[in-house]
Amino acid sequence: SFNWSEIFENISFLERILRQDPDGTYGRMDLDSRNHYKRQVGIIAKSYRVSELHIAREAIDLAKKAMEASQAADEKAVAKDAATGRGEDNASWSDEALARKKTHVGYYLIGNGFALLERRQKGERKRAGRIESVPSDRLGQVYLAFVVLSTLLITALAVGYAAYTPGERGILLLIVSGAAALIPASEMAVCLGNWLVCKVKKPSFFPRLELKDGIPDSLRTMVVIPALLTDEKRVVQLLENMENHYLANREDNLYFALIGAFSDSSGPKKKNDAGVLLAASEGVKALNLKYAKEGRDLFYFYNRLRKFSECDNKWIGWERKRGALMEFNELLLGSQETSFIFYSNGKLPADDIKYIITLDADTMLPFGMAKKMIGTMAHPLNAPVVDPKRGIVTEGYGVMQPRI
């Protein structure tokens, strides 16, 4: 059988141009992402009535100029650090992440550099293209304004109808009519607004690296399952789920961890705590004996002690699931001040875990999904750019949550 997608890409002039991406990301993306870029090129070309090849060359030229500027800035920074004796700081890391985005052709096709590509086009853009290019930060304001105005208009029509209906007329009747129509009117406005948004604005697309050769060392990831360990039977269920996650996502540099917490209690300890810890530790040990190779564990178990919560008036795991994830991230960063009291292995699988995939206890990780999620986070356009002063993500994503 023929792989028509591969044949088409080999003979496509547009594909050849886009593969000149200065940072090489385009050639490492999966097929869906590459096709999305090509579709975007076609949309832009149609909007400005120019050739697709012209748009692709313009985007590549912008990326190449950004690469040249980035290399010049790196040389200048190295010389400055050598002169001052200082290393990289948070600001330089943030600048580096942003610079890498700009050297990728996708930054100008679907990213924040799209406006730069537009400025280089001569001629007027089609009206439909202008509507689709409404800045994302204004969409919420436009949507809210539309819903409010539509609600007021529908309510006004209901009040007007009541005013001109034969019979008793009065201010009280009009107020009651408006109040009665307000909630149905808002529901109608929201439905209409949602319908228009789906027609005008397409869902966001997240480009993804293919990771054809597997998960590299630089993208080591842990799949973690925070859960309450109520008894030994619950522990067995959780370990079975963790094994299924592994069987559906057997990859190098991918590890699995159960982050346990004892059930709520009126005191710091319960009678079955020791049994729960023993069942979990023995279960994880059995999984490693069954699947781990070269003496490196694939499965891990961590458990937290109870702390008294004044709000709940109980002894619970600190901040429950949220606290478990926060403390585990601190543990990965080298903190020794967490509430973890039990480790199946005192050593982490690696000192440079890049990503954490969090699963609910009843969630199943589909076949091959872990690598797809890692490939999405690792794409330059999705990489977070952190403001060094405010400590917040200003571009890209620090957290991604798949939804249906």
Side-chain angles (χ1 to χ4, degrees):
S1 62
F2 294 102
N3 187 336
W4 291 107
S5 298
E6 184 176 345
I7 294 174
F8 175 77
E9 287 190 338
N10 290 335
I11 64 176
S12 170
F13 288 104
L14 178 59
E15 180 73 16
R16 295 178 188 177
I17 295 173
L18 292 176
R19 282 188 177 270
Q20 298 173 21
D21 184 17
D23 77 338
T25 296
Y26 180 84
R28 295 185 289 116
M29 297 193 308
D30 64 2
L31 180 61
D32 289 340
S33 300
R34 296 198 300 272
N35 286 340
H36 181 76
Y37 277 30
K38 289 193 280 280
R39 284 194 296 270
Q40 183 65 13
V41 169
I43 292 172
I44 299 171
K46 186 177 180 181
S47 297
Y48 284 99
R49 301 179 180 89
V50 295
S51 166
E52 292 182 0
L53 303 184
H54 168 74
I55 294 296
R57 291 192 186 102
E58 291 278 271
I60 290 292
D61 184 58
L62 285 168
K64 286 181 177 179
K65 289 183 177 179
M67 177 66 78
E68 294 172 359
S70 176
Q71 291 173 346
D74 289 343
E75 293 174 0
K76 185 177 180 180
V78 170
K80 183 178 179 181
D81 291 341
T84 60
R86 296 189 308 172
E88 290 185 328
D89 54 17
N90 292 336
S92 63
W93 293 338
S94 179
D95 293 341
E96 182 181 348
L98 183 58
R100 188 189 173 198
K101 291 177 184 285
K102 294 181 179 180
T103 60
H104 172 49
V105 65
Y107 183 76
Y108 306 97
L109 295 176
I110 65 172
N112 291 339
F114 179 69
L116 297 175
L117 181 62
E118 278 194 311
R119 292 194 199 108
R120 297 184 61 158
Q121 309 311 310
K122 298 179 181 179
E124 187 177 356
R125 192 177 186 186
K126 288 184 179 180
R127 186 177 300 276
R130 295 195 209 115
I131 295 174
E132 291 180 357
S133 64
V134 175
S136 298
D137 57 351
R138 296 182 184 176
L139 285 177
Q141 300 174 9
V142 173
Y143 175 80
L144 183 61
F146 175 84
V147 170
V148 171
L149 292 175
S150 299
T151 301
L152 294 177
L153 177 60
I154 297 172
T155 303
L157 290 174
V159 173
Y161 178 80
Y164 288 95
T165 299
E168 182 181 353
R169 295 187 182 94
I171 298 298
L172 181 59
L173 175 63
L174 299 181
I175 293 175
V176 172
S177 299
L182 187 60
I183 293 179
S186 64
E187 291 291 331
M188 295 172 63
V190 168
C191 291
L192 181 60
N194 292 342
W195 180 80
L196 288 174
V197 167
C198 292
K199 291 293 182 181
V200 173
K201 199 70 176 178
K202 296 180 180 179
S204 298
F205 180 88
F206 295 96
R208 180 170 60 217
L209 299 182
E210 189 173 12
L211 301 182
K212 186 181 298 185
D213 298 325
I215 302 170
D217 293 346
S218 59
L219 299 179
R220 289 189 178 100
T221 300
M222 289 196 78
V223 179
V224 301
I225 309 170
L228 283 177
L229 308 182
T230 54
D231 52 36
E232 289 89 339
K233 183 178 179 181
R234 180 57 175 163
V235 170
V236 172
Q237 293 175 344
L238 292 168
L239 293 178
E240 288 178 352
N241 288 344
M242 190 162 65
E243 182 179 9
N244 291 333
H245 297 326
Y246 167 74
L247 293 175
N249 296 270
R250 301 181 76 155
E251 298 283 347
D252 291 336
N253 294 317
L254 184 65
Y255 308 95
F256 300 81
L258 174 62
I259 305 179
F262 294 122
S263 59
D264 297 355
S265 174
S266 57
K269 295 182 179 180
K270 290 178 70 174
K271 290 182 179 180
N272 69 334
D273 288 351
V276 167
L277 285 179
L278 180 62
S281 60
E282 291 297 323
V284 166
K285 183 179 179 180
L287 289 176
N288 283 317
L289 288 173
K290 187 176 182 180
Y291 297 108
K293 299 177 182 179
E294 300 178 358
R296 171 178 286 187
D297 288 354
L298 293 173
F299 302 91
Y300 294 81
F301 168 59
Y302 303 89
N303 199 75
R304 301 192 302 155
L305 55 76
R306 296 184 182 92
K307 290 188 175 182
F308 184 73
S309 170
E310 295 183 358
C311 180
D312 296 321
N313 195 29
K314 292 180 181 179
W315 290 80
I316 65 174
W318 177 74
E319 289 290 330
R320 299 190 183 277
K321 185 185 297 184
R322 173 175 170 270
L325 296 175
M326 290 175 62
E327 289 198 303
F328 186 71
N329 277 288
E330 292 176 3
L331 185 68
L332 292 179
L333 294 173
S335 175
Q336 300 296 324
E337 299 179 357
T338 65
S339 63
F340 287 105
I341 58 169
F342 185 88
Y343 307 77
S344 64
N345 189 330
K347 293 183 179 181
L348 292 169
D351 295 329
D352 56 348
I353 298 296
K354 180 73 172 180
Y355 299 120
I356 296 294
I357 297 176
T358 305
L359 301 177
D360 289 334
D362 57 350
T363 299
M364 294 305 299
L365 192 61
F367 182 82
M369 182 55 65
K371 188 168 75 169
K372 291 180 180 180
M373 295 173 70
I374 296 167
T376 303
M377 283 295 292
H379 193 281
L381 294 187
N382 301 327
V385 176
V386 181
D387 187 319
K389 294 182 179 179
R390 295 182 293 170
I392 62 173
V393 176
T394 56
E395 190 172 333
Y397 305 93
V399 177
M400 280 190 176
Q401 181 178 1
R403 290 184 180 180
I404 298 177

